[in-house]
Amino acid sequence: MNSTNYDACPECDLLLKPAQLKIGEKAHCPRCGLLLSRPRKQSIERTFALSITGFILFFPSVLLPMMGITVLGDANTGTLLSGVIALFNENMWPVAIVVFLASIMFPLVHISLSLLISGHLYFKRSNRYLVTWMRWMYHLDEWIMLEVYMLGIIVACVKLMAIAPLKFGWGLYAFIALIIITTLLTSNLDNRLFWQRIEQLRKENNNAS
Ligand SMILES: [Zn+2]
Protein backbone atom coordinates (compact mmCIF):
# COMPACT_ATOMS: atom_id res chain seq x y z
CA MET A 1 0.00 0.00 0.00
CA ASN A 2 1.27 3.43 -0.87
CA SER A 3 0.97 5.42 2.33
CA THR A 4 1.70 8.71 0.62
CA ASN A 5 -1.56 8.55 -1.33
CA TYR A 6 -3.85 7.63 1.56
CA ASP A 7 -4.34 8.80 5.13
CA ALA A 8 -6.03 6.73 7.82
CA CYS A 9 -8.70 8.50 9.85
CA PRO A 10 -7.16 8.83 13.34
CA GLU A 11 -10.49 7.93 14.93
CA CYS A 12 -11.88 4.99 12.89
CA ASP A 13 -8.86 4.09 10.67
CA LEU A 14 -10.85 4.52 7.45
CA LEU A 15 -8.45 5.03 4.55
CA LEU A 16 -9.02 8.33 2.82
CA LYS A 17 -7.51 10.24 -0.05
CA PRO A 18 -6.27 13.52 1.41
CA ALA A 19 -8.31 16.45 0.17
CA GLN A 20 -6.49 19.46 -1.20
CA LEU A 21 -8.07 22.18 0.86
CA LYS A 22 -7.67 25.91 0.80
CA ILE A 23 -7.45 27.97 3.98
CA GLY A 24 -10.96 28.32 5.41
CA GLU A 25 -12.26 24.96 4.09
CA LYS A 26 -12.93 21.85 6.20
CA ALA A 27 -12.84 18.09 5.59
CA HIS A 28 -14.67 15.54 7.76
CA CYS A 29 -14.34 11.73 7.84
CA PRO A 30 -17.36 10.30 5.96
CA ARG A 31 -17.64 7.37 8.41
CA CYS A 32 -17.21 8.85 11.89
CA GLY A 33 -17.47 12.57 11.18
CA LEU A 34 -14.10 13.44 12.72
CA LEU A 35 -12.78 16.79 11.61
CA LEU A 36 -9.82 15.72 9.48
CA SER A 37 -8.53 18.89 8.06
CA ARG A 38 -8.98 22.59 8.50
CA PRO A 39 -5.97 24.37 7.06
CA ARG A 40 -4.83 27.35 9.08
CA LYS A 41 -2.04 29.82 8.58
CA GLN A 42 0.99 29.07 10.82
CA SER A 43 -1.09 26.65 12.85
CA ILE A 44 1.77 25.22 14.95
CA GLU A 45 3.28 28.60 15.82
CA ARG A 46 -0.12 30.08 16.69
CA THR A 47 -1.24 27.05 18.70
CA PHE A 48 2.03 27.13 20.64
CA ALA A 49 1.72 30.85 21.40
CA LEU A 50 -1.97 30.56 22.36
CA SER A 51 -1.27 27.54 24.59
CA ILE A 52 1.39 29.45 26.53
CA THR A 53 -1.01 32.40 26.95
CA GLY A 54 -3.84 30.08 28.01
CA PHE A 55 -1.61 28.28 30.49
CA ILE A 56 -0.55 31.57 32.09
CA LEU A 57 -4.17 32.87 32.21
CA PHE A 58 -5.51 29.66 33.71
CA PHE A 59 -4.09 30.22 37.19
CA PRO A 60 -5.40 33.76 37.84
CA SER A 61 -8.79 32.79 36.39
CA VAL A 62 -9.15 29.94 38.91
CA LEU A 63 -7.42 31.44 41.93
CA LEU A 64 -8.15 35.20 41.82
CA PRO A 65 -11.50 36.59 42.97
CA MET A 66 -14.06 36.78 40.17
CA MET A 67 -16.35 39.12 42.01
CA GLY A 68 -16.85 40.67 45.38
CA ILE A 69 -20.05 41.53 47.13
CA THR A 70 -20.62 43.61 50.24
CA VAL A 71 -23.54 42.50 52.38
CA LEU A 72 -24.24 44.47 55.57
CA GLY A 73 -20.71 45.87 55.54
CA ASP A 74 -19.11 42.42 55.17
CA ALA A 75 -17.06 42.05 52.02
CA ASN A 76 -17.12 38.63 50.37
CA THR A 77 -15.11 37.58 47.38
CA GLY A 78 -15.56 34.48 45.29
CA THR A 79 -13.14 32.58 43.10
CA LEU A 80 -13.97 29.75 40.72
CA LEU A 81 -12.28 27.32 43.11
CA SER A 82 -14.08 28.66 46.20
CA GLY A 83 -17.35 28.26 44.25
CA VAL A 84 -16.61 24.58 43.72
CA ILE A 85 -15.70 24.16 47.41
CA ALA A 86 -18.93 25.94 48.42
CA LEU A 87 -21.00 23.57 46.26
CA PHE A 88 -19.20 20.65 47.86
CA ASN A 89 -19.88 21.96 51.38
CA GLU A 90 -23.56 22.41 50.52
CA ASN A 91 -23.68 18.66 49.82
CA MET A 92 -24.15 19.36 46.11
CA TRP A 93 -21.15 17.22 45.33
CA PRO A 94 -22.35 15.82 41.96
CA VAL A 95 -22.67 19.42 40.70
CA ALA A 96 -19.37 20.32 42.37
CA ILE A 97 -17.62 17.46 40.56
CA VAL A 98 -19.09 18.40 37.15
CA VAL A 99 -18.20 22.07 37.60
CA PHE A 100 -14.71 21.17 38.82
CA LEU A 101 -14.07 18.84 35.87
CA ALA A 102 -15.56 21.00 33.12
CA SER A 103 -14.36 24.40 34.32
CA ILE A 104 -11.02 23.61 36.00
CA MET A 105 -9.66 20.12 35.36
CA PHE A 106 -10.48 19.58 31.66
CA PRO A 107 -9.45 23.08 30.50
CA LEU A 108 -6.14 22.68 32.38
CA VAL A 109 -5.44 19.25 30.87
CA HIS A 110 -6.53 20.48 27.42
CA ILE A 111 -4.23 23.52 27.52
CA SER A 112 -1.34 21.45 28.91
CA LEU A 113 -1.76 18.86 26.15
CA SER A 114 -1.94 21.47 23.42
CA LEU A 115 1.15 23.16 24.92
CA LEU A 116 3.02 19.84 25.00
CA ILE A 117 2.03 18.84 21.46
CA SER A 118 2.57 22.20 19.77
CA GLY A 119 5.82 22.68 21.74
CA HIS A 120 7.16 19.34 20.54
CA LEU A 121 6.14 20.12 16.95
CA TYR A 122 7.50 23.66 17.12
CA PHE A 123 10.91 22.48 18.33
CA LYS A 124 10.69 19.37 16.10
CA ARG A 125 11.17 17.01 19.02
CA SER A 126 9.76 13.52 18.76
CA ASN A 127 7.91 11.88 21.63
CA ARG A 128 6.27 8.48 21.73
CA TYR A 129 3.24 9.92 23.55
CA LEU A 130 2.41 12.51 20.86
CA VAL A 131 -0.28 10.28 19.27
CA THR A 132 -1.89 9.54 22.65
CA TRP A 133 -1.84 13.23 23.60
CA MET A 134 -3.48 14.19 20.29
CA ARG A 135 -6.31 11.69 20.86
CA TRP A 136 -6.90 12.84 24.45
CA MET A 137 -6.92 16.44 23.39
CA TYR A 138 -9.48 15.75 20.69
CA HIS A 139 -11.86 14.01 23.13
CA LEU A 140 -11.42 16.63 25.85
CA ASP A 141 -12.54 19.31 23.44
CA GLU A 142 -16.09 18.00 23.76
CA TRP A 143 -16.03 18.32 27.55
CA ILE A 144 -14.95 21.88 28.03
CA MET A 145 -17.88 24.10 28.85
CA LEU A 146 -16.30 27.39 29.84
CA GLU A 147 -18.89 29.37 27.89
CA VAL A 148 -21.66 27.74 29.92
CA TYR A 149 -20.05 28.95 33.17
CA MET A 150 -19.63 32.39 31.68
CA LEU A 151 -23.40 32.51 31.10
CA GLY A 152 -23.99 31.27 34.66
CA ILE A 153 -21.70 33.98 36.03
CA ILE A 154 -23.50 36.68 34.00
CA VAL A 155 -26.91 35.52 35.28
CA ALA A 156 -25.60 35.43 38.88
CA CYS A 157 -24.13 38.93 38.48
CA VAL A 158 -27.36 40.40 37.18
CA LYS A 159 -29.32 38.85 40.08
CA LEU A 160 -26.79 39.89 42.73
CA MET A 161 -26.52 43.45 41.43
CA ALA A 162 -30.18 43.92 42.34
CA ILE A 163 -29.40 43.17 46.02
CA ALA A 164 -25.94 44.58 46.60
CA PRO A 165 -23.18 46.45 44.78
CA LEU A 166 -20.85 44.07 42.96
CA LYS A 167 -17.14 44.46 42.39
CA PHE A 168 -15.54 42.54 39.56
CA GLY A 169 -12.15 41.02 40.22
CA TRP A 170 -9.14 40.10 38.11
CA GLY A 171 -10.23 36.47 38.17
CA LEU A 172 -13.25 37.34 36.04
CA TYR A 173 -11.19 39.25 33.48
CA ALA A 174 -8.69 36.40 33.32
CA PHE A 175 -11.56 33.92 32.89
CA ILE A 176 -13.04 35.93 29.99
CA ALA A 177 -9.59 36.12 28.38
CA LEU A 178 -9.17 32.38 28.92
CA ILE A 179 -12.46 31.68 27.09
CA ILE A 180 -11.31 33.81 24.15
CA ILE A 181 -7.91 32.06 24.09
CA THR A 182 -9.49 28.57 24.26
CA THR A 183 -11.83 29.42 21.38
CA LEU A 184 -8.94 30.77 19.31
CA LEU A 185 -6.87 27.72 20.22
CA THR A 186 -9.50 25.30 18.92
CA SER A 187 -10.07 27.29 15.75
CA ASN A 188 -6.35 27.69 14.97
CA LEU A 189 -5.45 24.05 15.43
CA ASP A 190 -5.00 22.34 12.07
CA ASN A 191 -5.61 18.69 12.92
CA ARG A 192 -4.28 17.28 9.67
CA LEU A 193 -1.09 19.31 9.77
CA PHE A 194 -0.52 18.20 13.38
CA TRP A 195 -1.01 14.51 12.50
CA GLN A 196 1.27 14.91 9.46
CA ARG A 197 4.03 16.50 11.53
CA ILE A 198 3.72 13.84 14.24
CA GLU A 199 4.04 11.11 11.60
CA GLN A 200 7.01 12.93 10.05
CA LEU A 201 8.78 13.19 13.43
CA ARG A 202 8.11 9.52 14.12
CA LYS A 203 9.65 8.51 10.76
CA GLU A 204 12.68 10.74 11.26
CA ASN A 205 13.14 9.29 14.71
CA ASN A 206 12.91 5.73 13.40
CA ASN A 207 15.44 6.47 10.68
CA ALA A 208 17.82 8.07 13.14
CA SER A 209 17.77 5.15 15.55
ZN1 LIG B 1 -13.24 8.24 10.74
Side-chain angles (χ1 to χ4, degrees):
M1 189 177 64
N2 191 342
S3 62
T4 52
N5 286 340
Y6 286 95
D7 280 343
C9 166
E11 185 67 25
C12 69
D13 293 326
L14 179 71
L15 286 180
L16 295 156
K17 245 203 161 93
Q20 297 300 320
L21 298 175
K22 292 188 199 96
I23 284 174
E25 291 178 335
K26 288 181 187 178
H28 291 267
C29 168
R31 186 153 73 189
C32 68
L34 182 85
L35 181 63
L36 293 167
S37 176
R38 183 169 51 180
R40 287 282 183 269
K41 269 188 205 165
Q42 296 173 304
S43 180
I44 290 169
E45 292 82 353
R46 285 187 189 186
T47 308
F48 187 45
L50 287 167
S51 310
I52 298 173
T53 321
F55 195 76
I56 296 169
L57 278 172
F58 177 82
F59 298 97
S61 74
V62 171
L63 300 170
L64 289 184
M66 284 204 159
M67 59 184 99
I69 189 165
T70 312
V71 183
L72 302 170
D74 268 338
N76 274 302
T77 55
T79 66
L80 196 58
L81 200 60
S82 73
V84 172
I85 295 167
L87 283 171
F88 211 86
N89 289 338
E90 291 292 316
N91 270 333
M92 293 169 73
W93 55 269
V95 186
I97 291 171
V98 172
V99 174
F100 174 74
L101 287 179
S103 72
I104 299 177
M105 193 65 200
F106 291 157
L108 178 64
V109 177
H110 185 264
I111 289 173
S112 311
L113 284 174
S114 112
L115 183 64
L116 271 172
I117 300 167
S118 56
H120 273 84
L121 295 184
Y122 184 76
F123 293 110
K124 298 192 168 62
R125 290 181 68 119
S126 182
N127 190 305
R128 62 199 178 101
Y129 296 112
L130 276 172
V131 172
T132 322
W133 291 339
M134 269 304 274
R135 288 194 181 181
W136 284 357
M137 189 170 70
Y138 180 77
H139 289 297
L140 270 179
D141 228 14
E142 303 155 12
W143 284 93
I144 295 169
M145 297 183 283
L146 290 178
E147 301 86 341
V148 177
Y149 295 109
M150 197 65 245
L151 273 178
I153 290 167
I154 292 169
V155 172
C157 286
V158 171
K159 282 189 174 173
L160 285 171
M161 269 195 277
I163 340 173
L166 270 187
K167 266 193 182 157
F168 299 112
W170 284 106
L172 186 70
Y173 302 126
F175 191 70
I176 295 169
L178 183 67
I179 295 176
I180 297 169
I181 294 292
T182 325
T183 315
L184 284 174
L185 194 61
T186 326
S187 73
N188 270 290
L189 200 143
D190 183 345
N191 244 314
R192 198 173 124 73
L193 178 77
F194 272 61
W195 281 113
Q196 267 177 351
R197 291 288 169 86
I198 290 172
E199 181 67 11
Q200 223 173 325
L201 281 175
R202 208 174 55 91
K203 277 183 189 159
E204 283 170 14
N205 205 40
N206 284 348
N207 290 342
S209 60

